[in-house]
Amino acid sequence: MRSFHRHIRRAALLMMLGLIFTFGILLYTALSVVLYRHVDQELLATAQAEARRVEVATGVLREFGGSDDDDDTDERLIREASRSVVVLSPDGIAVWTGAAVARRPGLAQILVGRALQGEVVYDTLETGSGSQVRRISFPILRDGEVRYILQTEASLRVVRESLQMLLGLLGVAAFLGLVAAWLSSGWLAREALLPVEALSGTAEQITSPPLDIRAPVDASYVEFQRLAHVFNGMLDRLHKVFESQRRFVADAAHELKTPLTAIRGHLEVALQRARSAEEYGEAMLTALGEVERLIGLVQSLLTLAQLSGKRTAMDMKPLALEPILREVASDLNVLAQDRAITLTLAVSPVPMVLGQAGRLKQVMINLLDNSLRHTPTGGDIAVTLAATESTARITVKDSGPGIAPEHLPHLFEPFYRADQAREKGIGGTGLGLAIVKEIVEAHGGDVQVESEAGKGAVFSVSLPVTGE
């Protein structure tokens, strides 16, 4: 596994090395061009001065009175003109080689051709001692034609020494730059990774709930402050999940314990002494009732477990809601009549929804059962079905005691009951509304509740329509 700290340091070194290398090449090239251009300019000035002397000596400048037709006279005058140049004839033969000039290789034919066209030509030569010289070939014109080619040279020792000194300075600068980059990158990596180390330390301290430890958010950089806030937000969400899970397990254990305790009590009472068959039968019926309640609770837990978490895809089909509502209302109307509760159904034409009929029927049964359990005798429950722009809306309104505002945000949590729901005589497992929420959300809809204490409650289910 690679270390990000080392990766930062290696990246800084490579970047610094690349910058120094690029800068060195540019600086070396620029200085080389400047030095060679300076040498070429000095050579050109020297060649022009020597060419004027040759021209004067050979009578090219006519005011000096020289003869233009006598080549022997020209060569004699050239010898007298300068001792530091080489003068070539147009065919490349040396007419004059000054005493102060060392013997050099002849000019290449391609360069001779360029010089005969009137172009000033430069070339670089290696000497026997290993040094280099720069040579200029300067054409001397007469009547528009090249009469002679004058050559002179200059040593490149200063240029070479200057470039070698530059290379040495660049090497020292590169070494110092790399050392500085290595040290500064280590400091920068430590500073940059301090918040990450803090987050790692916080994460290592978290071993089990409660998740009450939070990472510090006083980082020096905005990005790490945001990372700390996101990390703490994740811990908050995990804390809520663990608390919800803990509460769910405790509530489930409590709900399971109650019927099991009742069954155990009835059986112990029945076994304390000999009893008649009728008494044993009554005890068995009581225990059977508690078993039925236990089975219903377990079935609700299994349903909630199937719906929550990562939901599996349901086999949904386009279906009409009106037949489902009428069937559920007809089935539960018997219970409503037993308690003298008026159950009414108002249906408006709505498009079909994409859903599973069995699950949607379970939603309506749970909502109506909840309303029946909390509506007093003589009350009324109104079920309506209407359409909005893109949803089908089902509302269940009862005339019960209502729900206090502090209970509304938790009403769809498993096993949550408002205080008035905990009175004796009111059944239920506390899972019905949680199952309603999971089923509705699995259908792409949402469920809401509105209530005030003493004014009943209104549950609303919105489902997306298919447009058919």
Side-chain angles (χ1 to χ4, degrees), residues 34-82:
V34 169
L35 292 176
Y36 274 98
R37 184 174 297 175
H38 176 71
V39 171
D40 289 348
Q41 289 175 350
E42 288 188 343
L43 282 174
L44 180 60
T46 302
Q48 289 174 340
E50 295 295 338
R52 282 194 296 269
R53 293 180 62 187
V54 172
E55 290 171 351
V56 170
T58 57
V60 175
L61 300 179
R62 297 182 182 277
E63 61 268 27
F64 286 90
S67 174
D68 295 336
D69 299 326
D70 191 351
D71 291 340
D72 294 335
T73 303
D74 285 350
E75 294 181 8
R76 179 178 56 80
L77 293 175
I78 289 172
R79 295 187 186 97
E80 295 176 355
S82 177

Side-chain angles (χ1 to χ4, degrees), residues 72-245:
D72 294 335
T73 303
D74 285 350
E75 294 181 8
R76 179 178 56 80
L77 293 175
I78 289 172
R79 295 187 186 97
E80 295 176 355
S82 177
R83 299 175 61 84
S84 60
V85 298
V86 176
V87 179
L88 304 178
S89 63
D91 55 4
I93 299 176
V95 176
W96 166 249
T97 301
V101 178
R103 185 173 299 277
R104 304 296 184 203
L107 193 63
Q109 288 299 321
I110 186 172
L111 297 180
V112 172
R114 290 168 56 185
L116 292 177
Q117 294 177 1
E119 181 181 350
V120 179
V121 177
Y122 299 91
D123 62 332
T124 302
L125 303 174
E126 291 282 348
T127 65
S129 60
S131 61
Q132 290 182 330
V133 295
R134 186 74 167 168
R135 182 172 64 182
I136 184 173
S137 299
F138 187 87
I140 300 176
L141 303 179
R142 179 183 297 177
D143 298 329
E145 294 183 359
V146 176
R147 180 64 176 172
Y148 298 104
I149 299 175
L150 183 146
Q151 291 183 336
T152 186
E153 62 187 38
S155 175
L156 294 178
R157 181 178 59 84
V158 175
V159 175
R160 174 179 287 185
E161 290 178 353
S162 299
L163 293 178
Q164 288 177 347
M165 184 179 298
L166 176 62
L167 288 176
L169 292 176
L170 288 176
V172 173
F175 174 76
L176 295 177
L178 292 177
V179 171
W182 178 255
L183 297 177
S184 60
S185 63
W187 173 83
L188 179 62
R190 286 192 299 272
E191 288 293 317
L193 295 178
L194 276 179
V196 178
E197 293 293 336
L199 291 179
S200 300
T202 302
E204 289 175 351
Q205 297 177 31
I206 301 173
T207 56
S208 61
L211 304 177
D212 53 356
I213 301 175
R214 295 295 179 268
V217 295
D218 55 347
S220 303
Y221 307 100
V222 176
E223 294 80 4
F224 287 113
Q225 286 185 355
R226 180 175 179 272
L227 177 61
H229 283 294
V230 171
F231 184 78
N232 290 338
M234 179 193 68
L235 291 179
D236 291 336
R237 292 190 297 272
L238 289 176
H239 179 71
K240 292 179 180 179
V241 170
F242 285 136
E243 283 298 311
S244 176
Q245 184 182 34

